[in-house]
């Protein structure tokens, strides 16, 4: 029995994993706890709870659990969290085929009768009535529930993300239609407008997360979508630099909390091992929305002259209307959580009672810390402060600030660069599509590799080694490439199609958090680092460095090398922290571990029984 949060989850192959299902390992029988129906709180110092007492309803019975002896020989043993998959294992997949009617329930901390009580969800947890440590389900049931969750929950998240990206990504297509010339502004103004967007994003991140945690993402996300669609539609009416700056600022302000709110929302339904590939699909939609937006732009930009307006104005307006409709529909389709799915238009709800039990118990067995707060419980200022000063997440934030910079300026300037080498407006619009598709495919496979190899840092180094030689070629051969239009495009195609680690990093933050409040805040803080990265990268290609950006490319090479070093240092740091924790934890007796857990309620990822992924 593995008494660690990190090892509580299985290597369960979800439906997007593209690998064969393997044999089920047989577990050895031990004693465990079962939930009784008339239960009271096992301890007031719940280790994963930082709950506001106001969440409890007056008159509600406080749940408790009784210790019983149960045969757990049917449980599946979790894989060793410190074991990586070798390359041959990656190629061959798992041996054999899995019996879909076998028990899929994975052994977790809830099956240790001495320590389980310290991992139980708090009495204020909204899904508590479906929590039962003795619950069992088969692989067939788990697969069915996961697919249903994908269609009912995840697909609409992707639709909303599409709405976000057509509004924030349409600026490149607008620039291809001479937006800068029509507004009488230059490339420095363009950079500053992008910075105004990012400033708005930065301002909104933490406050939006706190509002979303208080109201619930199901209420707050639709409001955000409607607000940013109105701001985006306002670009139809702008006529000068000030209006351009104002519109970009408010778009960023209203978009700021969407991504971390959505990630927190998805964590209610999925295990840790299931999040990376879905987050990769999250950003795959980001790229594909760019492809769709390019096709929309190709048609809409032909409207230049309609009602005496430029084509880019119609582009902003039509795409804002699309996201506005998505925002309205989101009020209908988003639900608070897995056991709160019944609505006025869908009285039967999304899931049956059996399916609710499977979702709740598989998620909590994988990560007991997810039962520590109510989904409508606000993050207090002390909670926020504890999350902000969590130094064990700082290595990820540092990487977040620099890992995208080597490709960010070339990506931002792609349409301008293609226009400069004499491609037409409509050629530029179409030429961006292959680049986007290539990057999207690479995002999927590299995220998949991080999960299969169970190593984010080393694969992150490999992703940076993709861009380094290409930047050196750009730096050394920029002048000769400027006379070879297709050669320049080919270099941009490979460079901008690099396998981004963005989805893996977001999942990394979630895994390192080990507390609901830190998980919510870390997603926002990581997103802040991405915006800071954007602000820095937007000042690398400057007007006085045109057209080859020789100085800027030398800076990109230096940052590329620094990012490789940052990944290596993160790997060393988390290995050291895990060794430090393991030494202290293994030295404790069973009674000492129980006493420690009883008083470790607010430690989060500082708990000695928690291990960091690296």
């Amino acid at each position: 029995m593995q008494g660690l949060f990190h090892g509580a989850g299985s290597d369960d192959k979800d439906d997007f994993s593209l690998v064969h299902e393997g044999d089920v390992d047989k577990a050895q029988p031990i004693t465990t706890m079962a939930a009784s129906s008339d239960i009271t709180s096992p301890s007031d110092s719940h280790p994963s709870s930082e709950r506001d007492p106001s969440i409890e309803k007056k008159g509600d019975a406080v749940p408790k659990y009784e210790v019983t002896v149960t045969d757990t020989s049917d449980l599946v043993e979790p894989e060793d969290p410190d074991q990586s998959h070798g390359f041959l294992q990656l190629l061959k997949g798992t041996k054999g085929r899995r019996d879909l009617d076998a028990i899929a329930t994975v052994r977790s901390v809830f099956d240790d009768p001495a320590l389980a009580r310290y991992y139980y969800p708090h009495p204020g947890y909204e899904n508590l009535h479906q929590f039962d440590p003795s619950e069992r389900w088969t692989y067939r049931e788990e697969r069915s529930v996961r697919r249903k969750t994908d269609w009912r929950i995840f697909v609409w998240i992707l639709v909303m993300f599409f709405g976000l990206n057509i509004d924030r990504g349409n600026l490149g297509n607008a620039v291809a239609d001479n937006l800068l010339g029509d507004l009488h502004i230059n490339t420095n103004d363009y950079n500053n407008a992008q910075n105004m967007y990012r400033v708005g994003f930065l301002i909104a991140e933490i406050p939006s997360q706190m509002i979303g945690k208080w109201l619930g993402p199901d209420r707050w996300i639709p409001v955000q979508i409607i607000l940013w669609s109105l701001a985006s539609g306002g670009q139809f009416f702008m006529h000068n630099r000030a209006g351009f700056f104002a519109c970009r600022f408010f778009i960023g302000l209203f978009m700021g909390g969407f991504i971390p709110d959505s990630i927190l929302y998805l964590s209610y339904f999925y295990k840790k091992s299931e999040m990376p590939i879905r987050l990769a699909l999250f950003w795959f939609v980001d790229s594909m929305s760019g492809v769709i937006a390019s096709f929309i732009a190709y048609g809409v930009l032909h409207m230049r002259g309609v009602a005496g307006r430029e084509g880019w104005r119609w582009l902003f307006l039509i795409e804002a209307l699309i996201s506005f409709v998505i925002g309205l529909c989101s009020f209908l389709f988003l639900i608070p959580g897995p056991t709160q799915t019944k609505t006025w238009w869908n009285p039967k709800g999304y899931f049956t009672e059996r399916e609710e039990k499977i979702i709740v118990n598989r998620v909590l067995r994988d990560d007991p810390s997810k039962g520590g707060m109510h989904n409508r419980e606000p993050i207090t200022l002390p909670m926020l402060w504890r999350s902000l000063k969590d130094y064990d997440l700082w290595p990820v934030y540092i990487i977040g600030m620099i890992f995208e910079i080597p490709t960010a300026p070339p990506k931002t300037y792609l349409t301008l660069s293609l226009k400069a080498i004499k491609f037409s407006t409509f050629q530029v619009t179409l030429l961006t599509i292959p680049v986007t598709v290539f990057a999207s495919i690479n995002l999927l496979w590299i995220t998949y590799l991080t999960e299969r190899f169970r190593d984010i840092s080393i694969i992150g180094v490999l992703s940076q080694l993709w861009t380094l030689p290409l930047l050196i070629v750009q730096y050394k051969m920029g002048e000769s490439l400027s006379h070879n239009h297709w050669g320049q495009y080919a270099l941009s195609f490979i460079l901008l199609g690099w396998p981004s680690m963005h989805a893996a990093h977001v999942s990394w933050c979630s895994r390192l958090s080990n507390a609901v409040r830190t998980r919510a805040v870390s997603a926002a803080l990581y997103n802040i680092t991405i915006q800071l990265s954007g602000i820095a990268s937007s000042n690398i290609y400057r007007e006085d460095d045109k057209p080859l950006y020789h100085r800027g490319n030398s800076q990109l090479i230096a940052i590329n090398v620094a990012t490789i070093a940052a990944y290596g240092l993160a790997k060393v740091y988390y290995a050291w922290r895990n060794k430090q924790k393991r030494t202290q934890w293994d030295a404790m007796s069973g009674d000492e571990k129980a006493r420690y857990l009883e008083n470790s309620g607010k430690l989060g990822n500082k708990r000695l029984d928690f291990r960091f992924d690296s």
Side-chain angles (χ1 to χ4, degrees), residues 253-306:
L253 185 70
F254 297 136
M255 286 183 173
F258 173 81
I259 292 175
D261 283 332
S262 298
I263 293 167
L264 176 65
Y265 183 71
L266 287 174
S267 72
Y268 297 160
F269 300 90
Y270 292 105
K271 296 162 58 175
K272 290 181 293 187
S273 62
E274 295 164 350
M275 286 292 285
I277 194 65
R278 283 168 176 80
L279 292 177
L281 289 169
F282 202 58
W283 274 280
F284 180 82
V285 167
D286 178 5
S287 300
M288 288 301 99
S289 64
V291 172
I292 296 172
S294 293
F295 282 115
I296 294 174
Y298 184 81
V300 174
L301 293 180
H302 280 90
M303 295 176 64
R304 174 174 279 267
V306 174

Side-chain angles (χ1 to χ4, degrees), residues 463-476 491 495 557 560:
S463 74
Q464 293 296 311
L465 290 176
W466 174 297
T467 59
L468 183 58
L470 298 170
L471 289 172
I472 293 174
V473 170
Q474 180 75 43
Y475 176 75
K476 292 289 187 180
L491 180 64
L495 175 63
I557 292 171
N560 201 158

Side-chain angles (χ1 to χ4, degrees), residues 467-489:
T467 59
L468 183 58
L470 298 170
L471 289 172
I472 293 174
V473 170
Q474 180 75 43
Y475 176 75
K476 292 289 187 180
M477 303 178 62
E479 186 170 359
S480 60
L481 285 172
S482 66
H483 301 295
N484 183 347
H485 298 177
W486 289 108
Q488 178 64 56
Y489 177 73

Side-chain angles (χ1 to χ4, degrees), residues 24 71 82-83 142 166 175 207 222 338 362 370 436 444 446 484:
V24 179
D71 179 17
D82 297 322
Q83 179 182 0
E142 187 170 48
I166 61 170
V175 168
R362 69 192 291 270
K370 291 182 179 179
T436 303
L444 289 177
I446 200 164
N484 183 347

Side-chain angles (χ1 to χ4, degrees), residues 542-594:
R542 303 297 293 174
E543 188 80 14
D544 62 348
D545 199 23
K546 291 174 63 176
L548 299 179
Y549 301 109
H550 192 78
R551 181 186 65 232
N553 286 324
S554 67
Q555 293 169 350
L556 295 182
I557 292 171
I559 294 170
N560 201 158
V561 173
T563 306
I564 293 172
Y567 276 116
L569 292 173
K571 181 72 174 178
V572 171
Y573 175 77
Y574 288 123
W576 171 72
R577 287 287 283 132
N578 285 341
K579 180 179 180 181
Q580 187 183 51
K581 287 185 172 190
R582 189 179 294 108
T583 299
Q584 296 181 62
W585 179 257
D586 291 345
M588 291 183 180
S589 66
D591 289 341
E592 288 173 330
K593 289 179 180 178

